[in-house]
Amino acid sequence: MAALGWLTPRRRSATARSVLAGEAAAEAARKTSRELAENPDTTAGTTVTADSAVTADTTGAADTTGTTTATDDGAAAAEPPFPVEGDDRAAAFFDLDNTVMQGAALFHFGRGLYKRKFFQRRDLARFAWQQTWFRLAGVEDPEHMQDVRESALSIVKGHRVSELMSIGEEIYDEYMADRIWPGTRALAQAHLDAGQKVWLVTAAPVETATIIARRLGLTGALGTVAESVDGVYTGRLVGEPLHGPAKAEAVRALAAAEGLDLERCAAYSDSHNDIPMLSLVGHPYAINPDTKLRRHARERDWRLRDYRTGRKAAKVGIPAAAGVGALAGGTAAAVAIHRRRR
């Protein structure tokens, strides 16, 4: 009977676990971004410039640096230049799945792990059901999330963080590199060109998210953090997957640590689950929005961009991706937070 409860929509606000997850993600993100800054030669992949990427915007909208922008229904409106050049108290936060990348990063990561025999066909079938459920229900249920989380954690328990990092690099090249939305990439580049930091914010593992951020030339990533001891996954999360309210808590924590003014920051997402994060900043954008987010954005006069052509891009279940997001490795900083809280 518990399965029937999965179909009951529920709203979830920030909890102690989501705050813990957000703080862990923020501390891990700052640590990895410092490492990237100290070792810039580790950045790989091809950087797509704003000039070349903006041609993928099928609505004909100019990028955010222009003085005129078009909404998703084609209505043009004058806007002041944005992002603001040299505003070091502003930053941009980008959701990953279906915002920066077509599909879910963890779905692609799971394909790579399956190819490398990390789990069996029966596990693949279970993940497929979990994603199908979310596409139908569109909401997360605590019991469902716990099942997803435990399934994913059991896959990587006992594996080394370095092993998953190395595999993640390979999987990015195999499945993800060609799935970046050029239009969204142009928006991120506009912030970078203005001298601002740009962060991914995702339920995907912090290691996977960091790989993607590095390949795109971004500042870093906020992602789901799982505990590791001596470089080995323990099978426990630090807090919970970075999803919904936890994302907002991560952005809030990072902004406080970086001295950012959230009213001057921007956030970009495709999902109504990220409304808490979008509502934190002064410049929220709905990118390839789902129906609920599109309606919410129109009601609040948020700006919209849609880079999809023809039929809408298939949505991959966020909770399922968040569950596999338990593959995230816990950095030493994140584990320290976890132990302090205990």
Side-chain angles (χ1 to χ4, degrees):
M1 294 299 292
L4 297 178
W6 294 0
L7 301 178
T8 304
R10 303 183 185 185
R11 283 191 174 273
R12 190 168 63 89
S13 58
T15 64
R17 290 180 65 82
S18 59
V19 171
L20 175 59
E23 291 179 352
E27 193 157 349
R30 298 190 76 213
K31 178 178 183 294
T32 55
S33 68
R34 286 194 299 268
E35 292 172 352
L36 290 179
E38 292 168 0
N39 301 282
D41 292 340
T42 60
T43 301
T46 302
T47 299
V48 182
T49 65
D51 290 340
S52 62
V54 75
T55 58
D57 184 347
T58 59
T59 65
D63 74 14
T64 51
T65 58
T67 56
T68 301
T69 187
T71 61
D72 65 326
D73 59 4
E79 292 180 356
F82 183 79
V84 179
E85 183 79 26
D87 187 355
D88 60 3
R89 294 199 64 200
F93 302 94
F94 283 80
D95 169 57
L96 178 58
D97 297 346
N98 288 315
T99 302
V100 171
M101 175 183 293
Q102 298 177 44
L106 263 301
F107 174 75
H108 303 308
F109 192 59
R111 290 173 64 191
L113 291 182
Y114 177 70
K115 176 181 176 181
R116 290 162 176 81
K117 303 186 185 303
F118 266 70
F119 53 90
Q120 304 301 314
R121 188 178 297 274
R122 63 177 177 274
D123 299 308
L124 192 65
R126 183 166 68 252
F127 290 140
W129 155 243
Q130 290 163 343
Q131 296 212 14
T132 300
W133 165 81
F134 184 76
R135 291 177 65 182
L136 291 174
V139 293
E140 72 267 23
D141 175 83
E143 293 181 28
H144 174 71
M145 288 289 288
Q146 181 67 22
D147 179 52
V148 175
R149 203 155 42 228
E150 291 175 356
S151 298
L153 287 167
S154 66
I155 292 173
V156 297
K157 182 178 180 180
H159 286 276
R160 298 198 65 81
V161 175
S162 58
E163 177 188 9
L164 269 294
M165 283 291 290
S166 177
I167 290 173
E169 296 279 0
E170 298 172 3
I171 293 174
Y172 178 85
D173 291 327
E174 291 172 6
Y175 298 112
M176 303 180 191
D178 295 334
R179 296 179 178 274
I180 303 301
W181 290 108
T184 311
R185 180 66 187 86
L187 298 176
Q189 189 64 44
H191 286 278
L192 293 171
D193 291 344
Q196 297 177 5
K197 293 183 176 181
V198 178
W199 305 86
L200 291 180
V201 190
T202 175
V206 66
E207 286 85 1
T208 300
T210 300
I211 289 169
I212 297 170
R214 185 177 73 247
R215 293 298 191 95
L216 296 178
L218 308 183
T219 307
L222 296 153
T224 296
V225 178
E227 185 183 77
S228 65
V229 175
D230 297 328
V232 178
Y233 293 113
T234 65
R236 293 187 295 271
L237 282 184
V238 180
E240 63 184 18
L242 201 70
H243 175 63
K247 279 190 179 182
E249 293 302 323
V251 169
R252 197 192 312 275
L254 184 64
E258 295 274 312
L260 301 174
D261 181 352
L262 286 172
E263 278 298 312
R264 290 146 74 171
C265 292
Y268 302 78
S269 179
D270 73 300
S271 173
H272 69 280
N273 290 304
D274 288 338
I275 288 175
M277 177 181 75
L278 293 169
S279 299
L280 275 182
V281 301
H283 302 276
Y285 281 78
I287 305 294
N288 306 329
D290 62 26
T291 301
K292 290 182 180 179
L293 178 58
R294 185 182 296 272
R295 181 169 60 248
H296 189 90
R298 283 174 169 164
E299 290 172 353
R300 286 155 182 77
D301 201 26
W302 291 356
R303 283 169 283 192
L304 297 106
R305 297 286 186 276
D306 201 324
Y307 301 119
R308 297 167 293 191
T309 58
R311 296 181 63 185
K312 291 184 178 179
K315 299 287 288 179
V316 180
I318 298 300
V324 186
L327 299 171
T331 61
V335 174
I337 291 178
H338 182 56
R339 287 173 177 166
R340 284 202 302 270
R341 285 300 184 87
R342 291 176 66 185

